[in-house]
Amino acid sequence: MPLSPARVFATLNAARPPDQASPVMGKAVVLGGSVAGLLAARVLSDYAEHVVVIDRDDLAVPGGRPGVPQGTQLHALLPGGLIQFEQLFPGFRKQALAQGAVEAPPEARRSYLDGRLKVVVPDDADSLSGSRPLLEGLIRQQVRRLSNVTTVTARATGLVFGGAGVTGVRCDVDGAPRTEQAAFVVDAMGRSSRLSEWLEQGGWDRPATRRMTVHLNYATAVFRRDEPHPTFPIVLALHSPGRPADVAGAAFFAIENGRWMAMMAGYQDSRPGRTADDFVRRLREQFPPEFGEVADNEMLGDVQTYRHADSRRRDFHALRRFPARLVSVGDAVASFNPVYGQGMTAAALHAACLSLYLRSRPDLDVPARRFLDLQKVVVEAAWSTSTSADLALPHVDGPYPRGYRLSSWISRQILTATVTDVRVARRFNEVVSMREHPSSLATPGVILAALRANRRHG
């Protein structure tokens, strides 16, 4: 029976880890110490006797990892992700604040759409503002403290198959080949995951890969922050998809160690903010006054740039033949336009899917179809949210889903109404923060409220 997407999201956001460990397997191996891999390791620690996390970077070293080239860019932890982090690591918010993260309740966040200040949703969820290294580092600390989790610095080179599933992982440790036997394997190797190739080499089917070319260029700079408790620690200024502008949007967050982190993005040949002078000028001239106030501070270090060519997803759920004792999570399954800030939150929801699957004490000798079905709901939700907006960009030419003209018109009406209508903005925020499934936006009540709001303020 098909899963109700709305019910899946409600279940994932309400689910909590078991009160005590309940092993269903021996050793589990996680390939990749990314946020997705660390969250998967945390979940597995409740269901495996021993968990091994393999990564090319030494996870004992604090700070950012060389294997995360985008780690210097601005990252958002959406409220839906913060819910999951707090459930997996009770006290996470408090510990992050103690390390310098900044709390941003609804009234402390400002959001602009095409230069218009959006209404505040008073009962919206709180956000947490901090750098990617801080948030990932805190997760790493928590995971490494788990008594049954071990980290290994190595490069994964392949899988070992036996019978109907995976039985181990091959890796290279300082030039020496090594095999880790495994009762369960999680691929968290990110966008560059080689799992598809390894499946094909092992005689299994290769998943179809979907791509949507977006050609996003973004730049991030860090500024000194003198206010210990800024009035608005999070400010976003976005342009509607398809609106003529050489900058798609900008944002700044208050982060740890008395700093502001600011980002701006453009598409195709637009590469705003590549130099310090250009970055500061644009913040002062092309965005609301708060951005100019940030730009008036000393810039710390150089502008860091990054290019995101495409959004992509690997449809493991659609494979008719798939090995037992194997799943994939995070960007290894689907990575999206980073403008929407879905990455860490989607990874957290994948971890919640894994927990629900293992809690049912499944037969590990058959493919993890239940997990794949749950994960598909999360992937489809994030994919539809980001790509529906991307399809409105002038340089993106599809593929367009059936009914796209009508759905895009409805989406524009809802997005416009979020500027003035609290009810519509509340539901929109719940969807984009991944606390609710996108289907909750496409209801007659929300659409009618959006049309009325736009008529009043048009």
Side-chain angles (χ1 to χ4, degrees), residues 27-29 50 52 54 152 160 167-171 173 178-183 185:
K27 182 169 65 176
V29 176
H50 186 205
V52 176
I54 296 175
V152 175
V160 180
T167 60
V169 173
R170 290 193 295 271
C171 56
V173 183
R178 172 171 162 181
T179 298
E180 287 279 356
Q181 301 301 315
V185 174

Side-chain angles (χ1 to χ4, degrees), residues 38-48 88 351-352 354-356 358:
L38 294 169
L39 296 177
R42 166 63 188 88
V43 168
L44 287 167
S45 71
D46 288 327
Y47 301 100
L88 289 171
L354 182 60
S355 183
L356 280 180
L358 293 174

Side-chain angles (χ1 to χ4, degrees), residues 40-70:
R42 166 63 188 88
V43 168
L44 287 167
S45 71
D46 288 327
Y47 301 100
E49 294 174 2
H50 186 205
V51 181
V52 176
V53 181
I54 296 175
D55 195 273
R56 290 176 298 178
D57 296 327
D58 185 351
L59 299 180
V61 177
R65 296 186 297 116
V68 187
Q70 74 276 25

Side-chain angles (χ1 to χ4, degrees), residues 31-32 34 36-37 186-196 207-209 312-316 327-336 343 347 350 375 379:
L31 303 178
S34 60
V186 176
D187 163 33
M189 295 184 288
R191 281 170 60 92
S192 60
S193 169
R194 297 185 59 200
L195 179 59
S196 297
T209 300
R312 64 181 67 169
R313 57 182 287 187
R314 300 175 173 100
D315 289 336
F316 293 104
V327 299
S328 190
V329 296
D331 284 358
V333 180
S335 62
F336 317 97
H350 291 188
Q375 186 185 57
V379 171

Side-chain angles (χ1 to χ4, degrees), residues 14 23 27-28 38 128 132 135 177 199 216 223 236 244 354 357 362 367 431 439:
K27 182 169 65 176
L38 294 169
L128 196 64
R132 164 72 179 258
L135 298 173
L199 287 173
L216 175 74
F223 296 85
L236 298 90
L354 182 60
Y357 165 68
V431 168
S439 59

Side-chain angles (χ1 to χ4, degrees), residues 208-212 311-315 317 380 383:
T209 300
R210 299 191 225 176
R211 283 185 169 86
M212 178 170 289
S311 299
R312 64 181 67 169
R313 57 182 287 187
R314 300 175 173 100
D315 289 336
H317 69 273
E380 289 282 4
W383 184 262

